Amino acid sequence: MSLIEVKNLKKIYADEGAQTQALCGVTFDIQAGEFVAIIGPSGSGKSTLLHILGFLDRQTSGVYHFDGKSIDDYSDAELAAVRNQKMGFVFQSFNLLPRTSVYENIRLPLIYSSIKQSLWDGLVRKAIKDVGLEHRAEHEPSQLSGGEKQRVAIARALINNPRIIFADEPTGNLDSKSGAAVMEILQALNQKNGHTIILITHETYTAETAKRIISIKDGLIVSDRVVAKRVDAKDGFVK
């Protein structure tokens, strides 16, 4: 069974009587454990697709099954629970609480989880260690570099041990060295821990760190291919 299955997915936005079709009939499957990059230019529909896949929005028409269940069969409360427990998100803008420590930022999703509070500290410490920020645990975001902020965001996304991680332009605000470090972490999460990764990007080189690339343009899939030779983020990162 596919972790994600979408068939003829369409999304239309209406604004003051005008309609804009962001997705025009998208169909694909993603298996558990895949690392998939969705690539396309600005306005191609890739961010709209991520929002639907991540339960942040609903399609206008078409079918979306997550983990064998149609999104239409989830209540809003169930969508929120699945999003918190089975999905992790990493955004270009980091989305960290500004006057809150690294530790507290990473702990935040646990407050809304069913995980026993007695386990929180151990989970947070492990997540901090996994992204190499033990020496920054009590620092606030303003004291961190861009690459460190993104590593905090990745640790926060991992804290509930989600089935899937959505990374939306995770290197967009980073220099080449920091971008390489972030992509190396995502590759390791996929290769060593088996996390399913969906990467949204407009950069070909970044996309080629994935195992599979879905190219989207004008709301349609124009290609879906397995990467013959992946880029290893450890060998350098070109923006």
Side-chain angles (χ1 to χ4, degrees):
M1 182 187 299
S2 301
L3 179 60
I4 283 177
E5 181 181 358
V6 298
K7 292 183 178 179
N8 199 28
L9 207 66
K10 298 180 180 180
K11 180 64 179 180
I12 299 173
Y13 293 103
D15 183 18
E16 298 181 354
Q19 292 190 339
T20 301
Q21 189 157 2
L23 295 175
C24 303
V26 172
T27 298
F28 61 86
D29 295 351
I30 294 177
Q31 305 298 317
E34 281 198 87
F35 187 164
V36 180
I38 299 175
I39 186 171
S42 178
S44 61
K46 60 186 186 298
S47 292
T48 296
L49 180 57
L50 178 141
H51 289 160
I52 294 172
L53 296 180
F55 290 2
L56 300 171
D57 198 0
R58 288 183 183 262
Q59 73 273 24
T60 303
S61 63
V63 177
Y64 172 25
H65 284 90
F66 178 81
D67 211 8
K69 183 176 179 180
S70 171
I71 187 175
D72 296 327
D73 294 334
Y74 288 94
S75 68
D76 288 343
E78 288 172 331
L79 288 176
V82 171
R83 194 165 54 238
N84 178 262
Q85 296 167 14
K86 296 186 178 183
M87 299 177 175
F89 296 87
V90 180
F91 296 102
Q92 179 178 345
S93 56
F94 317 127
N95 291 356
L96 303 179
L97 298 178
R99 289 178 290 278
T100 306
S101 70
V102 165
Y103 181 99
E104 295 296 335
N105 265 284
I106 294 171
R107 190 186 71 159
L108 184 63
L110 294 174
I111 297 172
Y112 306 100
S113 76
S114 58
I115 298 173
K116 292 181 180 179
Q117 190 169 352
S118 61
L119 302 176
W120 290 4
D121 183 68
L123 291 172
V124 175
R125 299 292 178 189
K126 181 181 185 302
I128 291 173
K129 183 177 180 180
D130 285 346
V131 297
L133 287 177
E134 300 99 311
H135 62 301
R136 296 292 204 187
E138 301 306 321
H139 286 62
E140 295 181 359
S142 62
Q143 299 171 299
L144 306 178
S145 69
E148 288 171 335
K149 290 176 184 177
Q150 198 59 290
R151 282 191 274 163
V152 175
I154 291 172
R156 183 182 58 193
L158 288 172
I159 195 67
N160 283 335
N161 192 30
R163 294 203 63 186
I164 187 167
I165 296 172
F166 295 100
D168 190 3
E169 300 280 7
T171 64
N173 284 335
L174 306 180
D175 58 42
S176 59
K177 183 178 179 180
S178 298
V182 165
M183 294 312 303
E184 185 178 343
I185 290 171
L186 291 177
Q187 282 187 323
L189 290 173
N190 174 251
Q191 293 172 340
K192 298 177 182 178
N193 299 354
H195 285 285
T196 305
I197 309 286
I198 296 183
L199 168 70
I200 302 294
T201 185
H202 66 276
E203 299 167 345
T204 300
Y205 192 91
T206 307
E208 289 176 350
T209 61
K211 297 177 181 176
R212 175 183 168 198
I213 299 176
I214 298 174
S215 298
I216 186 169
K217 183 178 181 181
D218 297 329
L220 291 167
I221 291 176
V222 295
S223 69
D224 184 347
R225 63 184 177 89
V226 175
V227 178
K229 186 177 181 181
R230 298 175 69 193
V231 170
D232 192 334
K234 291 186 292 185
D235 295 334
F237 186 83
V238 179
K239 296 204 64 165

